[in-house]
Amino acid sequence: RFWRMNRGECPNGNFGVDPNRNYPFSYTEPGNDPNCRSAIHRGPAPGSEPETHAGRDLVASADSDGAFQTVFVVKTHAFGNLVLFSDGFSEDLETCTTNTNCTNADLGAQHVLGGTRAHPKFLAERDIPFRIGQTFRSIYSAAGDLTSDAMFGQLPQNAPNPMGVTLELGDSRCGFQAEHWSEAQYQFIVQQQIDYVEFLVDIAP
C-alpha cells in the first residue's frame, strides 16, 4: 500500500526509484536520496526512469503532431490537505533549503491559480481549508520533482515552461489509507478536482 517507487533495479538486489525525485531539475539538491533503500531514492541519473521520460514528454507535447502547448501542470498526491507551489531558487539555482531562500518570482501568479489562505480554492470534507504555500515551508525539502522540473527545467523540444501546482489531497485522519475515506469524501474530492480543471480552462487565456 505504501510503495511509492517504480520497479527500477538497484545494486545488491534492491529496487525502486521514486519518479518524483528523478526529474533533472534540482536532481542533486537536498530533498531526495541516492540510497537505493530509501523511499525517496532519486535513481542512478537525472531523468533515468521511463516514467520520468513520459512525464516530461507529455508536458512538452513532444510526441504529438500539431501538439497543444501545456500552460499549467496539476500534480495530485495524497495526503495532507495542501496546495503546494514550487520553491524559489537563488541566483545560482540552488533549491530552497532555508526559510531565507524561498523567494519565487512566480508566487503571485501561483496564488491566483492555486488560491490563498484567505481565499482557498480547496476545502476538506469538513470545510477545513487546504493549507497553501511553498513545498519547503509547508512540508519539507523536495528535489527532482515534476512540478519544479516543468516550471524551471529545460524541457524536451525546448518547450516553454508552464506554471504548476501540487495538490496533496485526502484527510489526515486517515493518512494514506484512502480505503477508509467515506463515499461522501471521495465524491467531494473528485468534484473539487473537476471544478478546479474547469476554473483553469476558463482562466487559461
Side-chain angles (χ1 to χ4, degrees), residues 85-115:
F85 305 135
S86 293
D87 294 313
F89 293 87
S90 63
E91 291 181 357
D92 54 356
L93 295 182
E94 293 180 355
T95 55
C96 172
T97 54
T98 71
N99 282 330
T100 59
N101 182 25
C102 281
T103 58
N104 185 336
D106 298 312
L107 195 58
Q110 286 172 315
H111 276 295
V112 169
L113 296 168

Side-chain angles (χ1 to χ4, degrees), residues 17-64:
V17 174
D18 181 354
N20 201 48
R21 298 295 188 274
N22 182 246
Y23 284 86
F25 188 78
S26 73
Y27 173 81
T28 59
E29 298 295 336
N32 60 30
D33 198 328
N35 189 337
C36 284
R37 296 179 182 272
S38 172
I40 56 171
H41 174 47
R42 68 190 183 196
S48 61
E49 305 307 299
E51 296 87 354
T52 309
H53 282 289
R56 300 185 86 230
D57 283 347
L58 178 63
V59 172
S61 307
D63 296 327
S64 303

Side-chain angles (χ1 to χ4, degrees), residues 31-193:
N32 60 30
D33 198 328
N35 189 337
C36 284
R37 296 179 182 272
S38 172
I40 56 171
H41 174 47
R42 68 190 183 196
S48 61
E49 305 307 299
E51 296 87 354
T52 309
H53 282 289
R56 300 185 86 230
D57 283 347
L58 178 63
V59 172
S61 307
D63 296 327
S64 303
D65 293 331
F68 57 85
Q69 177 183 331
T70 301
V71 296
F72 197 79
V73 172
V74 181
K75 185 176 65 171
T76 305
H77 287 199
F79 71 101
N81 291 3
L82 297 165
V83 178
L84 299 175
F85 305 135
S86 293
D87 294 313
F89 293 87
S90 63
E91 291 181 357
D92 54 356
L93 295 182
E94 293 180 355
T95 55
C96 172
T97 54
T98 71
N99 282 330
T100 59
N101 182 25
C102 281
T103 58
N104 185 336
D106 298 312
L107 195 58
Q110 286 172 315
H111 276 295
V112 169
L113 296 168
T116 65
R117 293 176 187 268
H119 301 285
K121 296 193 181 299
F122 286 90
L123 299 173
E125 184 186 2
R126 295 166 290 159
D127 292 330
I128 298 175
F130 276 51
R131 289 191 295 119
I132 297 162
Q134 292 168 280
T135 302
F136 177 81
R137 285 177 167 169
S138 298
I139 45 175
Y140 44 65
S141 179
D145 66 292
L146 168 61
T147 308
S148 294
D149 189 74
M151 287 188 60
F152 300 113
Q154 180 61 56
L155 294 174
Q157 311 299 314
N158 294 317
N161 294 94
M163 195 65 68
V165 64
T166 298
L167 305 179
E168 296 276 357
L169 300 179
D171 191 313
S172 57
R173 291 178 301 172
C174 300
F176 289 98
Q177 302 180 55
E179 65 268 30
H180 296 301
W181 293 354
S182 68
E183 184 66 23
Q185 187 174 3
Y186 276 119
Q187 293 176 358
F188 190 88
I189 289 173
V190 170
Q191 188 58 53
Q192 283 201 96
Q193 290 276 298

